[in-house]
Amino acid sequence: MQIALMSLGDMMDDPVTGRRFDASERYAMTLDAGEIADRVGIQGYYIGEHHGINYTFSSPAVVLSALAQRTKRLRLGTAVALAANLDTFRMAEDYATVDVISGGRLELVTGRGNFFEKTFDLFGQSSAESAERFAEAMELACKLWPGEPVHWTGKFRAPISGQRLEPTPIQRERPPFWIGGGSSPDTAKLAGRLGVSLMLPSAFGRPDKFIPIADIYREAFDKAGHKHEARVGACWHGWVDKDDATARAKYEPRYQGYHAFNLAVIKSVNPNPPAYVSAPFDYELLSTKGPAIVGGANKFADRLIYLSQLVGADVNLIKMDMGGVGREEYLEMVERLGSDVIPQVNAVAATQPALAANG
């Protein structure tokens, strides 16, 4: 079971201190966290993409390239790249560049972003076309990635007449691609058909609701006859501290603040958001039956293992920097995740074949 960090770059006041980061501090904190993660055995760092709202990460490829220069083995991913909005050829160029700079450490997770309707307006697109745009983009990206000349005609961009992707990716034999999705069975089927990995948006709502989507993906993957193994990822919110009581006390105001922030953002970009992303804040529910992992190292490891096995996740992305969390607190949690949690997860994996197989 692999454990990675996830950061979206939300910009909000710390509800405890009232302090707010500026963008330069937010980026510096992220790069510092990446260095620590690389040192303490965390497997990856995944960076989000948003446009025109209060998330400061709008160009994950640039952030990942900076992380590549400060790390040696960390997998470098997106959470997610907005393939339905971006030009596919340019997206492939940007992330092939990250792959080359990093020595072949890219993990490209893409998503439709379909409930961020105003992002489609911003780019002069229709959100009603998101599924079709996304499927076309991912099929083209898979064709481009090996670096051979491509002849292609589609609906949403100009034809390609023999051009090839530059730079040629290091991981060109099989694209290191993931499709992020869990609200639509069609998205899971697309991931399975294309033979790419599936990242569940399990940080939204009850994790058990995403089990059927993972099953649909694996069925489509098997039906397509791919020779390599299917992979499933999951996303969680987290706070790990010196003990359970301290973790719960510190996290609650930050998590409640982030929940309110997130609801406001979603309502600003979608007048009719899905019910599962607009439920009232319930700390007890979220931290026992929802996507939050809160506690000292022992409890954190136990719940992470449980949730990972529940949805069958090979890779688990943990977002710990939401809610205006300060630099020192965040870096301390990253250190603790690698030094205290991952060894416990590895120890359990050594005694549980199913968990070890995901590792």
Side-chain angles (χ1 to χ4, degrees):
M1 183 178 77
Q2 296 184 355
I3 300 172
L5 300 175
M6 177 174 70
S7 184
L8 305 182
D10 44 285
M11 298 291 285
M12 61 170 282
D13 297 340
D14 182 335
V16 175
T17 66
R19 186 180 184 279
R20 184 172 186 167
F21 290 103
D22 62 27
S24 62
E25 290 176 295
R26 199 75 164 87
Y27 281 86
M29 182 175 89
T30 300
L31 297 180
D32 290 344
E35 280 195 79
I36 295 171
D38 197 51
R39 172 172 56 78
V40 299
I42 294 170
Q43 282 84 23
Y45 209 146
Y46 291 65
I47 301 297
E49 176 183 351
H50 292 89
H51 300 279
I53 53 178
N54 291 331
Y55 286 90
T56 191
F57 294 160
S58 57
S59 182
V62 176
V63 182
L64 295 176
S65 293
L67 281 167
Q69 293 303 293
R70 294 177 61 168
T71 59
K72 299 297 183 184
R73 46 157 223 64
L74 203 66
R75 301 295 295 179
L76 304 170
T78 52
V80 296
L82 299 177
N85 302 118
L86 304 174
D87 177 79
T88 308
F89 201 102
R90 188 55 204 263
M91 179 184 75
E93 289 177 328
D94 285 347
Y95 288 104
T97 301
V98 174
D99 197 53
V100 169
I101 288 174
S102 67
R105 291 186 279 144
L106 174 72
E107 298 285 338
L108 179 59
V109 187
T110 60
R112 283 168 56 189
N114 51 302
F115 64 72
F116 284 75
E117 291 184 5
K118 289 190 178 178
T119 302
F120 287 84
D121 296 339
L122 183 64
F123 285 95
Q125 301 162 340
S126 169
S127 60
E129 298 173 335
S130 66
E132 195 176 1
R133 281 182 173 275
F134 183 71
E136 179 178 293
M138 290 311 301
E139 289 174 2
L140 176 56
C142 289
K143 292 180 184 295
L144 289 168
W145 195 256
E148 300 298 328
V150 171
H151 295 267
W152 175 91
T153 301
K155 180 177 179 180
F156 297 105
R157 75 169 320 279
I160 299 172
S161 52
Q163 289 85 2
R164 60 190 296 269
L165 178 64
E166 285 287 357
T168 304
I170 291 176
Q171 301 179 92
R172 61 182 176 272
E173 290 186 9
R174 188 170 75 243
F177 291 172
W178 298 72
I179 283 178
S183 59
S184 168
D186 290 340
T187 301
K189 291 176 183 177
L190 175 66
R193 177 168 62 81
L194 294 178
V196 303
S197 305
L198 178 71
M199 184 65 68
L200 299 170
S202 45
F204 294 112
R206 289 182 55 133
D208 55 4
K209 293 184 177 180
F210 297 98
I211 296 173
I213 294 294
D215 292 340
I216 290 169
Y217 159 69
R218 292 190 182 95
E219 183 180 348
F221 192 99
D222 291 342
K223 184 178 179 181
H226 301 295
K227 303 300 183 184
H228 56 285
E229 294 293 323
R231 283 196 304 169
V232 172
C235 309
W236 315 110
H237 298 146
W239 188 288
V240 58
D241 219 300
K242 61 183 180 181
D243 56 55
D244 296 348
T246 302
R248 287 194 66 82
K250 284 187 178 180
Y251 192 40
E252 183 170 11
R254 268 61 179 271
Y255 201 24
Q256 185 169 14
Y258 178 72
H259 189 272
F261 165 87
N262 201 41
L263 280 180
V265 167
I266 290 172
K267 289 179 180 178
S268 74
V269 297
N270 188 334
N272 298 297
Y276 67 87
V277 299
S278 54
F281 181 75
D282 185 333
Y283 192 41
E284 182 65 22
L285 179 66
L286 289 167
S287 58
T288 58
K289 299 185 182 300
I293 307 173
V294 188
N298 294 345
K299 185 172 183 178
F300 194 100
D302 288 346
R303 180 156 167 77
L304 175 58
I305 291 167
Y306 166 76
L307 288 173
S308 180
Q309 292 181 326
L310 178 69
V311 299
D314 304 285
V315 178
N316 292 271
L317 311 187
I318 304 174
K319 178 172 170 54
M320 301 191 297
D321 65 343
M322 79 276 273
V325 175
R327 176 184 181 277
E328 296 305 321
E329 284 179 298
Y330 180 48
L331 299 187
E332 183 179 314
M333 284 195 288
V334 173
E335 181 91 38
R336 185 171 278 116
L337 180 66
S339 299
D340 299 343
V341 174
I342 287 180
Q344 294 192 52
V345 172
N346 290 342
V348 172
T351 62
Q352 296 185 13
L355 187 62
N358 291 344

